[in-house]
Amino acid sequence: MALVDPRFVGHLHSLRLALTDPRFPAAAVTGALTAQPEARAALTRALATADAADALPDAVAAALDAEGVAVHRPELGTLVASVPSGAQQRHEARAAVSAVDDEAVRLRTAVKSRDGFFTTFCISPYSRYIARWCARRGLTPNQVTTASLLTALIAAGCAATGTRGGFIAAGLLLLFSFVLDCTDGQLARYSLQYSTLGAWLDATFDRAKEYAYYAGLALGAARGGDDVWALALGAMVLQTVRHVVDFSFNEANHDATANTSPTAALSDKLDSVGWTVWARRMIVLPIGERWALIAVLTACTTPRIVFWVLLIGCALAACYTTAGRVLRSLTRRARRTDRAAQALADLADSGPLAEGFAAAFKGAARTLPGFAAPAIAAVGAAVMIATAAFAGWGSPWVCVAALVYALLSGIAVARPLKGALDWLVPPFFRAGEYVAILVIAARSEVNGALPAAFGLVAAVAYHHYDTVYRIRGGSGAPPRALVRATGGHEGRALVVTLAAAALPTSGFTIALTVLAGALALLVLTESIRFWVSSHAPAVHDEGEPA
C-alpha cells in the first residue's frame, strides 16, 4: 500500500526506493510512503491520527515513527523528492530534477560501495550495464545467480578434462561466472528485487562454485597423473576457516558496547589515504582477486601450481587479517552481549559429547582466566591433529586424541563466550575437525580416500555456512536437533577416527563416502526447507566482504 502526494516532484528512482523495496516494513521519502503487510495495522492507526495539514504521506510517516514503527528513509544523494508549496518552488524542483540523470545514479548505486580492486575496476564498469540489460528483459537476480553457478560448474568440468585447452576454457568460464556473480547483486540493487531465496542462493552458491572448481582441478590433475586432492582439500579448509574467522569476529563485536580500539582508529586513519585502501583490500585476497588469480593460473600453469599459490596467498591473507583482529580485540575495551555469546556458541557447532562435558565442567570453567576458552580449543585441535599425523594408521591413540579433543571442546564452551578472544573458538574447532579429516585420509594412502574426505568436508562446511547466514539474517542457528543429528564437530571427528581404527583402508573410503552423503542429505534437506519457508529472513546478502 502506498501514499503519494499529488504535488510530488522528484525523480522516478526516488519513488522506486521509497515504494518498491521489499526489505522494509515501511519506507518513505518526502511526499511518498509505503507499508508492507506487517505494517498495515500501524498504517491504519497512523492515518486516523496523522495531522494532514501539510503533506499526508509525511504526516503518516511521522505518526508511524511516533508509534515505534521503523520507517526506512533511503539515502537519495543527488536525487530529488519534494512537495513544493508554490509555483516558484515547483519550478525550482523541476529544474533540480532536470539537472540530475536519475538513470546514471541508479546505475552507479547498483554497484557495491565497498568492493575489491579487481571487482571495482575490472568488472563493475561493464557488469552494471549487463544488469540493466537483464532488468529490461525481465530477468531476475535468482536466474542470473543460477546462470553463474551453471557456468562455474561447466568451468569445473572443463578443468576436469586435464587438457591444456580444457584449462584455458575453465579459466575463461570462471571469470565469466564471476562477472555474472557481480551482475546478480547489481541487478537486485538496480531493480530492487530482493528476496529470501535470493539471499540463500547468493550466500551459498559462491562457495559451491569455488569448491566445485577445486574438485574439477583435482580431477584434471589426476588425469595427468598428478594427485593434488590433498592440496585441493587444504585450500578448501583454509578458505573456510578464513571465513569463520571473519564471521566469528563480526558476530562477537558488532553489537558490543564501548566498542573502541586504538588499532581500529589506526585502521580508519589508513583508510583515509587512497592507495592504502586498495592495498589493504587486495592483500586479504577477496573473492574477485582470488578468482582472477585462480583463472589466470589455471590457463597458464598446472593445478598443482594453482593450489600452492592459492594456499600461500590465502595463508598470508589469513595471518594479516587474524593478527589485526587479535590486536583490535586485545586493545578494545568492550563488553560483549548475551546475543554475541549465543552467536559464538551456535557457530561452535557443539554436539552431544561436547555438551555433556560442558555441563560436567561448568562450575570449574568459571575459575579459568579470560583467555582460557580459545587456548583450550587450540590445544584440543592441536592434540588431535598431531596424533593423527604422527601415530600409525589406524592407531587407537588417534581415537583417544579425538576423545581428548571432545573433552577440551566441552570445557572451552562451558561458560558464555564473552572474552576478548573467544571469537577464536569456532575457527579453532573448524580447523581441528577439517584438518584432522584431511590428515587421516592422507595417511590412509588409498585411492579415493582424499576425494571422499573432500566431499565430507564440503558437506560439513555447507552446514557451517548455512548456520552463519541464518544468524546474519536474525533468525538464529539451525535447530539443535539437526546439530545433534550431525554429531557436532567433535562427534564427527571421533566417528572418522573410529572408522580409521576399525576398518581396512578400502572400508574407510566407503565409510567416508557414506558419511558425506548422509550429512549432505541431512543438512541440505533442512536448509532448503528453512530458506523456502516463511520464517526465512527477507534480506539480500551482499556476498563475501571485500
Side-chain angles (χ1 to χ4, degrees):
M1 183 179 293
L3 296 174
V4 182
D5 194 295
R7 298 167 294 170
F8 176 87
V9 175
H11 288 103
L12 175 60
H13 195 51
S14 297
L15 287 179
R16 288 194 193 98
L17 292 171
L19 305 182
T20 64
D21 193 329
R23 294 175 296 172
F24 309 101
V29 295
T30 302
L33 175 138
T34 189
Q36 301 292 335
E38 57 267 35
R40 298 281 169 79
L43 175 64
T44 302
R45 295 190 296 270
L47 283 168
T49 59
D51 181 5
D54 191 7
L56 180 60
D58 297 345
V60 172
L64 288 173
D65 281 331
E67 192 172 328
V69 177
V71 179
H72 173 67
R73 289 177 169 80
E75 289 287 341
L76 296 182
T78 57
L79 296 175
V80 176
S82 64
V83 180
S85 58
Q88 179 60 30
Q89 290 185 355
R90 180 173 294 274
H91 174 74
E92 293 173 354
R94 285 175 174 169
V97 170
S98 300
V100 176
D101 183 352
D102 70 336
E103 179 62 16
V105 174
R106 189 182 182 192
L107 273 173
R108 185 174 65 250
T109 55
V111 178
K112 287 199 300 187
S113 59
R114 180 179 174 84
D115 225 328
F117 181 89
F118 179 77
T119 305
T120 300
F121 294 103
C122 300
I123 304 296
S124 293
Y126 58 87
S127 62
R128 69 185 75 183
Y129 296 102
I130 301 176
R132 181 171 67 180
W133 183 89
C134 293
R136 290 177 175 176
R137 282 153 184 80
L139 298 177
T140 67
N142 293 349
Q143 290 170 333
V144 178
T145 302
T146 303
S148 176
L149 173 67
L150 293 175
T151 303
L153 293 180
I154 295 172
C158 291
T161 63
T163 63
R164 177 51 52 195
F167 288 149
I168 293 173
L172 293 173
L173 286 169
L174 186 65
L175 286 176
F176 182 59
S177 174
F178 183 66
V179 172
L180 293 177
D181 184 56
C182 295
T183 300
D184 65 358
Q186 291 165 359
L187 174 59
R189 288 183 288 274
Y190 178 85
S191 56
L192 299 176
Q193 297 183 71
Y194 302 105
S195 69
T196 296
L197 182 60
W200 177 60
L201 295 177
D202 194 42
T204 56
F205 277 13
D206 280 353
R207 303 287 75 77
K209 288 181 285 190
E210 187 168 359
Y211 298 160
Y213 192 82
Y214 292 175
L217 281 176
L219 287 170
R223 285 179 177 271
D226 189 12
D227 186 356
V228 296
W229 275 106
L231 296 177
L233 180 51
M236 180 168 66
V237 169
L238 179 56
Q239 191 57 39
T240 304
V241 172
R242 279 188 65 199
H243 284 144
V244 175
V245 169
D246 294 339
F247 300 143
S248 294
F249 179 80
N250 291 334
E251 288 300 325
N253 292 286
H254 88 281
D255 63 348
T257 58
N259 201 1
T260 59
S261 165
T263 308
L266 175 60
S267 177
D268 294 339
K269 187 176 181 179
L270 288 174
D271 278 344
S272 66
V273 182
W275 70 269
T276 64
V277 174
W278 297 117
R280 281 153 53 81
R281 290 186 190 181
M282 291 174 67
I283 198 174
V284 300
L285 210 61
I287 187 170
E289 278 76 358
R290 192 168 66 250
W291 282 27
L293 179 68
I294 294 170
V296 171
L297 290 175
T298 299
C300 300
T301 65
T302 65
R304 180 172 291 274
I305 293 175
V306 174
F307 285 125
W308 273 116
V309 172
L310 187 62
L311 284 166
I312 293 170
C314 287
L316 292 174
C319 291
Y320 170 77
T321 55
T322 305
R325 285 166 179 168
V326 168
L327 285 174
R328 288 190 184 199
S329 300
L330 293 175
T331 58
R332 175 175 283 155
R333 294 182 178 180
R335 291 188 298 277
R336 274 71 182 183
T337 63
D338 291 337
R339 180 206 172 281
Q342 183 59 52
L344 292 180
D346 292 333
L347 290 173
D349 192 35
S350 300
L353 270 176
E355 285 182 334
F357 286 127
F361 290 93
K362 187 174 183 180
R366 294 173 182 167
T367 63
L368 296 174
F371 59 85
I376 292 172
V379 169
V383 166
M384 181 170 61
I385 293 169
T387 306
F390 295 108
W393 164 253
S395 169
W397 286 109
V398 183
C399 300
V400 173
L403 283 172
V404 172
Y405 172 69
L407 169 64
L408 295 179
S409 298
I411 296 174
V413 298
R415 66 180 184 187
L417 298 174
K418 292 185 177 182
L421 295 177
D422 283 359
W423 55 270
L424 286 169
V425 170
F428 282 138
F429 287 165
R430 296 297 81 78
E433 178 186 3
Y434 296 168
V435 176
I437 293 173
L438 189 163
V439 171
I440 293 171
R443 289 295 306 275
S444 70
E445 297 182 352
V446 61
N447 289 335
L450 279 167
F454 188 96
L456 174 58
V457 173
V460 176
Y462 176 87
H463 166 59
H464 291 143
Y465 280 113
D466 186 54
T467 301
V468 165
Y469 289 112
R470 293 197 198 200
I471 294 172
R472 275 188 168 184
S475 57
R480 286 302 303 167
L482 175 68
V483 177
R484 293 190 179 101
T486 61
H489 66 96
E490 80 292 347
R492 291 186 296 268
L494 181 60
V495 167
V496 171
T497 60
L498 289 172
L503 300 173
T505 52
S506 58
F508 175 69
T509 300
I510 295 172
L512 285 184
T513 304
V514 171
L515 182 59
L519 284 174
L521 180 63
L522 188 62
V523 298
L524 278 171
T525 301
E526 162 57 24
S527 178
I528 293 171
R529 181 207 63 78
F530 170 79
W531 285 103
V532 301
S533 73
S534 59
H535 303 293
V539 297
H540 179 77
D541 185 78
E542 293 290 349
E544 181 181 322

